[in-house]
Amino acid sequence: MLEAIRDRAQGWIARVILGLVILTFAIFGVDSYINDRSAVVEVAKVGGDAISQQDFQLALRNQKDAQEANGEGKVNTEDPKFRQAVLDDLITARVMTLAAQKSGIKADPQQALKTLAEIPVFQDGGKFSPARMDSWLRNRGMSQTQLLALLQQDVQLSQLEVGLREGSFIAEGSVKQLITALSEQREVNEQIFEARHFLAPEKVDNAAIEAEYKAQRAKFETPAQVRVEYLVLSLEAIKGQIKVDEAAVRRHYDSHLSRYSEPEQRRARHILIAARADQPASERSQARQKAEQVLAEVKKTPARFSDLARKHSQDPGSASKGGDLDFFTRDRMIKAFADTAFALKKGEISGVVESEFGYHIIFLDEIRVAQAQPFERLKAQLTEEWRTQEAQKRFAEQADKFANQVYEQANGLQAVAKAYNLTVQTSGWIGRAQAEPAFLGHPGLMDAVFSPESLAKKQNTDAIEVAPNTLVAARLLEHKPAGVRSLAEVSAQIREQLANRTALATARRTGAETLAQTQTGKGTGVWSANMMLTRMQPLNLPPEAIKVIFKQSSQRLPIFVGVETQEGYRLYRINQVQAGKAAEQHAGRIRADLLRMQGKSEIKAFIAAVKADVGVSIDEKALGKVEAR
């Protein structure tokens, strides 16, 4: 409803806004709401629903921004695994949406508004902040209507997900059996045979090293590499050259004054008699009659509007505050409500206003007329906008000239650099698989640098667009062809590898021999102190050891078992076994974990079935062309 404001968000798109999972509006693509999609290039198709390059590009960018903001390090959007993961998320969301629609699941607009009000990024001091939401929407070029449409789809997906999970069932006997197994205790002693204790690099002979080198020659291949000098013409570089002209900035302010005006705001109270759009006509008629009755009561005693709102309003966000909605702009409210509120005079009461949420009675408290924000308050923002606009103009003017000059003066970049007040930079050794800075690894630039003409003549490449508003021209300095590292270069590395391999084999063989001797009563190794284990409290034993220990029968004790590990070998003596007890305090958590696991499995199987039914196709060629901007 208009002010259902509190602190939790659970759905797919709400999680997106939080930045926890970023499909960030590319789940459905804001583009799909505002542009003609008849001529878009498709990256994938789910049934008859296309995922465009624009959708995918937006998803890549937002996923990258979110992961980097979460401290996950620099994200390479050209990484095939990263790109595939983002596309898989988009496809899954489209599949779930189609399934929800086919299942007849309808999105409740009231729930969408409630979800909107509960998103933390839109809150200030624990309360919904219209200003924060408006700023967030402006930064993304969206309207509240578009956001609500996405959230309604989010409600659809959440309802489908809940329905699938609620179909899961876990037998009580299975829960008890698992608790008993998890709480079983076993007392063990341990002997460890680590490979590091058997290392002997000096015993690896040269013949073995040479044989390994020949057998694993492909491992020592090196890709072709180059060193280049390069020149970057970019929007940012041009911005850095522009001197601020305050008079021009002020002219920019004057010519765009409407953009810098605070829109008219109104403060109103309302009473809502709720009625969903999909309710039977008889129920909506009853709700309207109730609203007419309340309106009659309001007109008799307008001064009691707040008291009547507390008594009758069904908007949980504002009823307790006497229906107060605080100040709002026209675009913050749904159209029917906004049209009425902005037509009222101060102190006027509306008639019954019908919307998709029910029937409203509106009382207008205050009006704040639109007014321009002062120049001085916006000076920093205006200056940045003006510099960006100027840089865009200059970049557009210079780009073609830059490309022509790089081509015409093919034997070096110095003259072009001087003409555009740029600096020629030099790279280290770079290749197709690795380059620093990363833009030098752009496929188009790499193709140009490694072209036969470039390798033969060491002339400038064409100016290549490696990112939006960024042109790079490069000239080859040095070239290392693809080859194989010599035996002398890798001899020490191979010696270490062979020594480690031999040590691991020796540790495992020694451990297995000790186990065999122990099982016949001839073992002489030193055992550790007693350790009491459960599957839930494995101490610091490796998972493979726990699996072997609890797999053994408890009929005849002690039992001796061994297991190979990454470090070597471990030997165990199982002394005693204490049966587990089905402790009730663990039952709830274990049952919930089992249901969650089964629910995930159900959803995964459902998605796979829907994909097979509707059909999913991916254009690998189009997928590879998309760049995250």
Side-chain angles (χ1 to χ4, degrees), residues 43-64:
V43 175
K45 203 162 188 177
V46 180
D49 191 11
I51 295 174
S52 70
Q53 281 191 341
Q54 290 84 356
D55 292 338
F56 184 57
Q57 180 174 295
L58 183 61
L60 282 173
R61 184 188 69 195
N62 288 326
Q63 178 71 46
K64 173 181 182 291

Side-chain angles (χ1 to χ4, degrees), residues 390-507:
E390 285 297 302
Q392 287 170 337
K393 290 178 188 175
R394 295 190 193 183
F395 182 84
E397 293 168 358
Q398 295 178 11
D400 285 342
K401 295 177 182 177
F402 175 82
N404 289 334
Q405 286 181 257
V406 164
Y407 176 78
E408 291 165 358
Q409 301 178 43
N411 292 320
L413 296 168
Q414 296 295 341
V416 182
K418 186 175 181 181
Y420 292 92
N421 195 25
L422 301 172
T423 302
V424 177
Q425 301 177 69
T426 303
S427 76
W429 288 104
I430 61 174
R432 292 182 184 275
Q434 187 172 8
E436 183 60 40
F439 62 76
L440 291 179
H442 184 278
L445 186 61
M446 284 287 99
D447 287 345
V449 169
F450 280 104
S451 69
E453 185 176 10
S454 173
L455 295 176
K457 297 181 179 180
K458 294 188 177 181
Q459 292 183 330
N460 299 341
T461 68
D462 290 340
I464 307 294
E465 185 178 17
V466 299
N469 299 318
T470 306
L471 295 175
V472 176
R475 189 176 75 85
L476 180 70
L477 297 176
E478 292 183 81
H479 173 226
K480 284 183 184 177
V484 179
R485 297 172 68 190
S486 69
L487 176 59
E489 287 181 278
V490 299
S491 179
Q493 175 186 339
I494 295 175
R495 182 182 299 276
E496 183 181 355
Q497 290 174 352
L498 291 177
N500 286 333
R501 189 187 304 166
T502 301
L504 181 61
T506 303

Side-chain angles (χ1 to χ4, degrees), residues 291-346:
E292 296 285 1
Q293 293 169 4
V294 173
L295 176 61
E297 194 173 352
V298 165
K299 287 184 174 180
K300 287 181 182 177
T301 54
R304 294 187 59 239
F305 191 97
S306 294
D307 293 334
L308 294 171
R310 292 186 185 94
K311 178 180 178 182
H312 296 294
S313 182
Q314 294 170 338
D315 179 355
S318 66
S320 63
K321 296 183 290 184
D324 187 14
L325 298 172
D326 208 341
F327 282 98
F328 54 86
T329 55
R330 175 183 283 273
D331 63 354
R332 236 201 81 212
M333 297 300 181
I334 52 178
K335 187 176 186 306
F337 189 98
D339 287 348
T340 301
F342 278 78
L344 293 173
K345 296 178 181 178
K346 183 178 178 179

